[in-house]
């Protein structure tokens, strides 16, 4: 097979890797989905389903032999889990992911879906300045769902939880018409005070750490039917929250913090509202990676807009009491002022600030 490079907008940037695309079409378009199909074929029609395996045997499959962190006193297998809380305070957060809304199995492998499901919850915990300790996982799916799909999702969940220093301590599996993953994440403050959305003060600076705009760019690529550049596409499939930076920001004296799940402007708006302040972002300070600029050029997109409004990167945004308090690895992008709302270069941003469910 030959690599499909004719008329491909990423050829000029050197991002199409000859040998990874197995399509034989003369142009680069929706046909590129065939490339991924060769890498991850559909399961055979007679593949084992969750109904064949059964609820309790499937639970045993996805939990047996898994390592747990020291904070897990009692893990899966009982009526409830027991998790140690050395600090005495439990940080808890919860998210629901629905197939077709938050993920697509024709775009992502089950393992990638599992990693994403864990990451979006763990990012909320570290955004409070806490150390992740455990996840409770609920999975609902149709009876004809391949058992391998659920096992893959759970494998991804275990992998991402371990990356953040947490374990999967319990959960539930039920039948439903749609594949749904519901996760409750828990964490420990480790002696620090929680960093809320309501602590920003006039005179603070605004800083970010982690990727901005990558997941939005990946969504734009996937939405066009493409599967490359892989690094950008994988940012949408498996976000990489900077887990260690939340506690570091808390130790550095962050006055407010949030994870960027729905868009930078949208989420900074939550800090502004909760704190009773105004926030102004300077676009010349936004960390726009060259790869992001290349994809925007190839697709006719706007890298700055992706960085300002694209969610799902799960970067962290925080306010600090002056530039000297900003930890290494964070980028200062704006200031906190008297007033209300969020502005960009001193002006109201004319486009929607990010994602909001049920908004037309």
């Amino acid at each position: 097979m030959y690599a499909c490079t004719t008329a491909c907008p990423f050829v000029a940037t050197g991002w199409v890797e000859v040998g990874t695309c197995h399509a034989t079409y003369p142009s680069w378009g929706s046909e590129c989905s065939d490339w991924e199909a060769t890498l991850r074929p559909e399961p055979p029609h007679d593949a084992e389903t969750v109904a064949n395996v059964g609820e309790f045997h499937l639970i045993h499959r996805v939990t047996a032999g898994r390592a747990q962190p020291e904070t897990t006193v009692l893990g899966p297998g009982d009526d409830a889990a027991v998790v140690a809380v050395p600090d005495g305070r439990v940080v808890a957060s919860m998210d629901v992911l629905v197939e077709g809304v938050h993920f697509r199995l024709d775009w992502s492998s089950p393992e990638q879906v599992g990693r994403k499901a864990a990451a979006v919850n763990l990012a909320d915990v570290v955004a409070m300045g806490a150390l992740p300790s455990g996840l409770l996982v609920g999975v609902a799916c149709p009876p004809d769902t391949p058992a391998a799909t659920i096992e893959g999702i759970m494998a991804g969940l275990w992998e991402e939880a371990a990356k953040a220093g947490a374990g999967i301590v319990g959960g539930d599996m039920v039948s439903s018409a749609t594949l749904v993953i519901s996760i409750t994440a828990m964490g420990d403050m480790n002696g620090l005070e929680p960093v809320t959305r309501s602590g920003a003060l006039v005179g603070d600076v605004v800083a970010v750490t982690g990727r901005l705009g990558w997941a939005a760019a990946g969504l734009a690529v996937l939405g066009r039917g493409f599967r490359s550049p892989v690094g950008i596409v994988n940012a949408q499939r498996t976000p990489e929250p900077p887990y260690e930076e939340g506690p570091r920001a808390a130790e550095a004296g962050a006055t407010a913090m949030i994870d960027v799940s729905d868009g930078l402007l949208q989420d900074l708006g939550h800090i502004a509202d909760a704190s009773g302040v105004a926030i102004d972002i300077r676009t010349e300070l936004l960390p726009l990676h060259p790869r992001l600029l290349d994809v925007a050029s190839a697709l006719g997109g706007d890298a700055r807009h992706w960085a300002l409004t694209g969610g799902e990167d799960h970067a962290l945004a925080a306010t600090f009491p002056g530039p000297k308090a900003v930890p290494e690895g964070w980028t200062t992008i704006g200031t906190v002022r008297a007033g209300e709302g969020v502005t960009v270069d001193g002006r109201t941003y004319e486009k929607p600030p990010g994602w909001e469910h049920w908004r037309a």
Side-chain angles (χ1 to χ4, degrees), residues 62-97:
V62 301
T63 58
R66 294 287 184 172
Q68 294 279 4
E70 292 182 359
T71 51
T72 303
V73 179
L74 182 63
D78 230 296
D79 287 344
V82 179
V83 179
V85 188
D87 179 87
R89 295 168 295 176
V90 177
V91 177
S93 181
M94 182 262 197
D95 273 291
V96 177
L97 287 80

Side-chain angles (χ1 to χ4, degrees), residues 248-335:
R248 285 188 66 227
E251 292 174 354
T255 54
M257 186 157 50
I258 195 169
D259 88 299
V260 183
S261 57
D262 296 321
L264 180 64
L265 298 184
Q266 184 93 288
D267 291 319
L268 286 178
H270 298 321
I271 288 181
D273 291 345
S275 300
V277 297
I279 291 176
D280 184 57
I281 300 303
R282 311 304 298 183
T283 54
E284 73 270 13
L285 300 179
L286 288 173
L288 301 180
H289 195 281
R291 288 187 180 181
L292 197 65
L293 297 171
D294 287 343
V295 172
S297 176
L299 295 184
D302 184 344
R304 186 188 73 161
H305 180 66
W306 287 338
L308 289 172
T309 68
E312 297 191 291
D313 280 307
H314 299 279
L316 296 179
T319 57
F320 295 90
K324 292 183 178 180
V326 177
E328 184 179 354
W330 289 69
T331 301
T332 300
I333 61 169
T335 54

